[in-house]
Amino acid sequence: TQLLEQSPQFLSIQEGENLTVYCNSSSVFSSLQWYRQEPGEGPVLLVTVVTGGEVKKLKRLTFQFGDARKDSSLHITAAQPGDTGLYLCAGLAGGTSYGKLTFGQGTILTVHP
Amino acid sequence: DTGVSQNPRHKITKRGQNVTFRCDPISEHNRLYWYRQTLGQGPEFLTYFQNEAQLEKSRLLSDRFSAERPKGSFSTLEIQRTEQGDSAMYLCASSWEDRATNEKLFFGSGTQLSVL
């Protein structure tokens, strides 16, 4: 069974601070996705990383896929209250040709004004 | 693109009752998924349809659970003889098979089930 461990589980910071969320596994994934989920809503895809060592930027968010494709990180620069939400990483196992994702348990981010 | 629609948004039921949820995927999507999410956890895969064919079921899906996608469009998830442990958010997602791009799932807002 492939598992994804996210850390930290909770993060409470002030507006303007930087933060990093980590997603680790002992298994190799063919790709890894990051989602953001608001209370009472479904997850919304932010980014997909595929190549080991890949870095993608989405405005103030920077996503990195580990060289061995077992881990990933999400870095937010100058966090804003609108960034508040549940951040989930999800891996797609190698050889899987459809969207059967393994999700981490999530990081609840609260950004205080 | 009206997004993935799930009904009802909330369902409260008594233990032992049967419940049925509906998912309407994005119209051109041929793949449909059901996931379950409990409080403080990420979603867990339950089952996958390609068009009308159910191609994979998780071991999490006991015999009390059944899912259908009769015409390859909307899907239903039925839980018979509900138990308190079935209380969760049931999420539906859809995607379009495209070998040229990475799988991109679009999730609905979910059905929150509470079993009393």
Side-chain angles (χ1 to χ4, degrees):
Chain A
T1 303
Q2 294 184 306
L3 294 174
L4 276 170
E5 297 285 338
Q6 269 188 253
S7 62
Q9 195 171 350
F10 301 95
L11 202 49
S12 179
I13 62 172
Q14 294 296 126
E15 183 176 1
E17 293 183 1
N18 302 333
L19 66 112
T20 302
V21 177
Y22 299 94
C23 180
N24 296 294
S25 176
S26 58
S27 304
V28 175
F29 291 95
S30 63
S31 66
L32 201 136
Q33 300 181 337
W34 285 91
Y35 289 82
R36 180 165 168 248
Q37 186 176 19
E38 303 277 359
E41 299 295 330
V44 175
L45 180 65
L46 296 174
V47 77
T48 301
V49 284
V50 180
T51 306
E54 182 176 5
V55 177
K56 281 191 173 179
K57 292 192 175 183
L58 188 66
K59 297 183 180 179
R60 294 176 293 101
L61 278 60
T62 302
F63 304 86
Q64 187 163 6
F65 202 12
D67 291 340
R69 307 210 314 276
K70 293 181 179 181
D71 56 87
S72 181
S73 64
L74 158 61
H75 182 79
I76 301 179
T77 303
Q80 298 177 359
D83 296 327
T84 293
L86 174 66
Y87 289 82
L88 295 157
C89 63
L92 191 64
T96 304
S97 61
Y98 53 89
K100 179 183 176 183
L101 296 170
T102 298
F103 280 86
Q105 72 269 44
T107 295
I108 297 175
L109 171 65
T110 304
V111 182
H112 302 279
Chain B
D1 181 356
T2 58
V4 177
S5 177
Q6 290 189 246
N7 288 288
R9 289 294 308 272
H10 304 275
K11 179 70 177 179
I12 300 174
T13 191
K14 292 183 178 179
R15 190 176 52 187
Q17 297 294 305
N18 300 341
V19 294
T20 300
F21 310 141
R22 177 177 169 123
C23 172
D24 287 272
I26 293 172
S27 57
E28 61 268 26
H29 285 181
N30 60 345
R31 293 178 165 180
L32 187 144
Y33 310 84
W34 285 98
Y35 281 79
R36 179 171 67 188
Q37 185 176 24
T38 54
L39 200 61
Q41 300 297 320
E44 295 174 298
F45 171 82
L46 292 179
T47 190
Y48 156 62
F49 289 85
Q50 173 110 1
N51 300 311
E52 67 276 7
Q54 188 175 20
L55 298 185
E56 184 169 349
K57 288 175 61 173
S58 165
R59 283 171 288 180
L60 293 174
L61 224 58
S62 76
D63 291 343
R64 297 184 296 104
F65 289 71
S66 62
E68 294 183 343
R69 194 183 183 199
K71 297 182 179 179
S73 57
F74 74 92
S75 176
T76 58
L77 176 67
E78 181 183 15
I79 309 175
Q80 295 183 327
R81 304 180 303 282
T82 52
E83 301 173 357
Q84 288 184 326
D86 297 331
S87 296
M89 171 82 89
Y90 289 84
L91 292 162
C92 176
S94 68
S95 67
W96 173 251
E97 179 186 7
D98 183 348
R99 298 184 191 280
T101 63
N102 299 311
E103 189 78 10
K104 183 176 182 179
L105 269 63
F106 292 81
F107 281 86
S109 298
T111 294
Q112 182 66 54
L113 173 66
S114 298
V115 181
L116 305 178

